[in-house]
Amino acid sequence: MVDLPRRSLLAGIAALGASACAKINESETAKSLFKAAEDGHRAVHRALAGKQGLAPEYTRAQRSPTFRGNGSVTVADPFYQEQLGKGFPDWQLEVRGLVERPLQLSLADIRALPQRPQITRHDCVEGWSAIGEWQGPQLATLLDAAKVRPEANFIVFRCADVLYGRDYYESIDMVDAYHPQTIIAHALNGEPLPEKNGAPLRMRIERQLGYKQAKYLKAIEAVASFDDIGQGKGGFWEDVAGYQWYAGI
Ligand SMILES: Nc1nc2c(c(=O)[nH]1)N[C@H]1C(S)=C(S)[C@@H](COP(=O)(O)O)O[C@H]1N2
Ligand SMILES: [Mo]
């Protein structure tokens, strides 16, 4: 088990959120990012929603009867397949990069943390939506426990699947990383995640589009810049198809 801080989670989120914002405004990466057209969108979205504005949440009755799988719906890796058959007893989620205390968490560790259930709508750019009930700890809880260093500007999600010959990955900024609806989900509609929806762990970042919702999560990495990761655009679809890095909805 990890040794988690005893102090109030909310106080931690507030304090870290405030310092993360100051940091983002100062960083060179952010300065250059703010020149890009997509950040016009980001600025407008943030101004309208407020930095910690919540995405709409729904009732159980509004959940979609089925939640389709999209992109990778299976993972070829033999260790993954072996673990899938057994309920992932030896799966480890790593928290690494610019942190003072790297973590390795089992699924049992993830389930033992304070949980946030949320019923939200997933919107895929390909033109479909689905409402599902997700559950898991807030990303903020893990980042707090790992003590993210002040140089970190982004959180990168590393996935176990390979799509079109490339490792799937995604990234978000610290505002979204500490957003209350940004959770590491291990359950969908009250059941462990099915393989097609990202078993055993996937991200939910509720104010962004479907492709940001990284499935088959194996590591969470705090970085100063994502220039040297993949093709440098901050995510699989950003690299492959030029999708926007900030996919606010
Ligand atoms: N690791 C990984 N995560 C991924 C994808 C993927 O192919 N691999 N596809 C993305 C896209 S485009 C969408 S719309 C959602 C689909 O989630 P679902 O399969 O649970 O519907 O996952 C996103 N996260
Ligand atoms: Mo998507």
Side-chain angles (χ1 to χ4, degrees):
M1 275 298 294
V2 282
D3 168 30
L4 288 167
R6 297 272 173 259
R7 71 198 167 89
S8 146
L9 180 57
L10 283 174
I13 290 170
L16 284 160
S19 63
C21 294
K23 206 162 55 202
I24 275 164
N25 290 332
E26 287 158 17
S27 83
E28 284 308 312
T29 316
K31 270 182 210 152
S32 62
L33 270 176
F34 271 95
K35 291 190 194 99
E38 94 176 54
D39 285 301
H41 172 207
R42 176 153 64 140
V44 168
H45 189 253
R46 288 279 157 76
L48 292 173
K51 284 205 175 67
Q52 299 294 321
L54 296 181
E57 294 194 17
Y58 300 83
T59 66
R60 285 206 162 141
Q62 291 172 303
R63 291 177 304 180
S64 304
T66 56
F67 201 108
R68 61 172 277 184
N70 202 44
S72 295
V73 288
T74 185
V75 177
D77 178 59
F79 177 70
Y80 178 93
Q81 284 301 323
E82 183 247 335
Q83 288 290 300
L84 174 68
K86 299 197 283 195
F88 296 97
D90 307 311
W91 193 259
Q92 295 282 320
L93 176 68
E94 255 191 90
V95 184
R96 64 189 192 207
L98 296 172
V99 297
E100 279 171 33
R101 189 165 53 165
L103 305 173
Q104 285 222 337
L105 301 159
S106 69
L107 216 46
D109 293 333
I110 297 282
R111 290 201 193 98
L113 292 169
Q115 303 284 300
R116 187 180 205 283
Q118 56 197 30
I119 304 176
T120 53
R121 197 185 69 195
H122 175 106
D123 295 306
C124 171
V125 279
E126 291 168 26
W128 60 274
S129 299
I131 294 175
E133 177 175 356
W134 306 97
Q135 187 183 309
Q138 290 171 314
L139 176 59
T141 303
L142 271 65
L143 298 181
D144 229 357
K147 297 192 196 297
V148 175
R149 305 225 305 246
E151 312 90 85
N153 296 313
F154 304 100
I155 300 296
V156 176
F157 306 107
R158 304 283 195 170
C159 306
D161 60 317
V162 177
L163 194 57
Y164 306 132
R166 299 167 189 234
D167 293 344
Y168 201 98
Y169 77 101
E170 259 303 339
S171 63
I172 57 174
D173 67 15
M174 292 305 190
V175 174
D176 272 322
Y178 287 99
H179 185 276
Q181 287 169 316
T182 297
I183 68 168
I184 297 156
H186 57 78
L188 170 59
N189 296 328
E191 301 287 338
L193 290 187
E195 183 182 17
K196 72 178 186 344
N197 300 113
L201 297 169
R202 65 110 37 98
M203 290 311 300
R204 293 304 309 170
I205 300 149
E206 301 294 357
R207 296 180 310 173
Q208 295 207 47
L209 286 168
Y211 59 90
K212 302 298 287 189
Q213 320 298 324
K215 305 194 282 189
Y216 318 114
L217 197 60
K218 59 179 191 187
I220 290 170
E221 212 168 288
V223 300
S225 145
F226 46 71
D227 292 352
D228 297 331
I229 300 172
Q231 301 296 301
K233 303 275 174 56
F236 175 89
W237 284 111
E238 291 88 328
D239 285 345
V240 167
Y243 285 9
Q244 294 198 336
W245 173 77
Y246 183 72
I249 44 178

